[in-house]
Amino acid sequence: MKIAIISLYSALYRGGNYGTLFQNYALQAYLKNIGHEPFWVRTKSLSDIRYIKSIYNLYLYALDSTIALAKGAHKTRKPSGDSARPYETFFERHVDHTARVYTRNDLLNDPPAADIYIAGSDQIWTKMVPHFFLDFVPTSSRRIAYAASARWDGLTDEWLLAAREKLARFDQVSVREAAGVDVCRRAGREDTTLVLDPVFLMEKTHYIDLVRNEGDDTPYDSPFLMAYFVSLENPKELPVAFLERFSARQGWDLQADFISNAAQHMPRNRLMNPTPTQWLNAIDKSKFVLTNSFHGMAFAILMERPFAVLLKDGKRVGKNERITNMLRFLGLEDRAIGMDLLYSGDFDALADRLMAGIDWDEVRPKLQKWRDISRDFLISATEAR
């Protein structure tokens, strides 16, 4: 069947994000494996509010960085040109998509033809954005939510009221976090299923083959720590001193890949700008992955690399649910680090804790059980009727 996928395309074209790219790639790869013809519907954002907010946050970050510089912090510089990140070749080669970029009016008046429409994944439901609830889809076509996500703890009564009406039109609903199951059930969808993020639909061997086929399965000259950080709101969220001290303690080099405003405090000789498959290869070849990103964590798990993920604090603590939900299910809660522990805890004790081995023989069956549930959901939701 022909399957149209609606997701956060704007997150890709407004600066790039490996997670956004690979979750759509993986969803398509699995749907193709079970006999479908999926494609990503490229969409323009219905509102520029989020984009304006990101620019405003970048301004605040620069202001905080200037203050930090005055206090003797690392020298600040302009953010790296993320819009030039090398995604295009991979996107064109491996992700089927519409030639057209659809506006809201385009979707309402002339939507792309498909038998099934899938909304997801990632945080598409944090705001009541109509096309993420597939309101444009013809009544003759099926509507499915796969691994939809949101800031579940921040949703309003108005959101719930509107969602009750919109979710009733879906044939099948699944979400990525346990909190989302509760929310959707409160909105009338008792049949909501908890599933994995799409990147987990495919196994490690698939990604390794992808890296090899792209010619990027290259060795590194020396052992290294892979640091991957995205979308910071203040300099404290980038623990440069810890990264340098921790990697030096183990005798490793430090390789860093930062998206958005996260590169301002890292020396240039530490920075990477990898293609998508080079990024996968770096994670696979690393001795350790330290990240604040859900998908940075996800691929460390897929590649079975030692890792730790830095949690957010303050107003953004709600964004931790997608991370802690995954870690709880796999029994890896100790891989999460709070800001307080990072900056005020005992460095050696924390370093020893992070270097404690992960029993992947324990993790693998838990992940496979959840993967089977997720695959079964898609098979059932998309089977011919």
Side-chain angles (χ1 to χ4, degrees), residues 17 67 108 111 141 171 180 198 256 345 356 369:
N17 186 296
I67 293 170
L108 289 173
S141 297
D171 294 273
K369 179 181 178 181

Side-chain angles (χ1 to χ4, degrees), residues 14 21 25 46 60 71 99 112 121 128 139 142 173 186 190 201 214 231 234 243 262 277 300 332 362:
R14 276 186 173 158
L21 182 64
Y25 162 81
L46 298 185
L60 292 180
K71 293 180 179 179
S121 172
M128 186 51 66
T139 56
R142 221 177 299 172
V173 175
R186 284 163 54 202
E190 292 291 337
L201 291 168
E214 290 292 301
S231 301
N234 66 73
L243 289 168
T277 44
L332 295 173
E362 289 284 333

Side-chain angles (χ1 to χ4, degrees), residues 308-322:
V309 59
L310 183 61
L311 299 177
K312 301 182 186 305
D313 61 3
K315 293 180 179 179
R316 299 209 294 168
V317 69
K319 290 189 174 183
N320 293 331
E321 168 63 18
R322 54 185 173 169

Side-chain angles (χ1 to χ4, degrees), residues 123-130 132-133 148-152 154-167 173 175 179-180 182-188:
Q123 296 194 348
I124 58 171
W125 287 352
T126 294
K127 302 291 183 182
M128 186 51 66
V129 180
F132 288 146
F133 287 88
S149 180
R151 290 281 301 276
W152 302 110
L155 299 177
T156 64
D157 291 340
E158 290 78 13
W159 186 98
L160 276 171
L161 185 63
R164 177 173 289 273
E165 176 189 353
K166 294 180 184 301
L167 290 178
V173 175
V175 295
D182 294 336
V183 169
C184 290
R185 287 176 178 170
R186 284 163 54 202

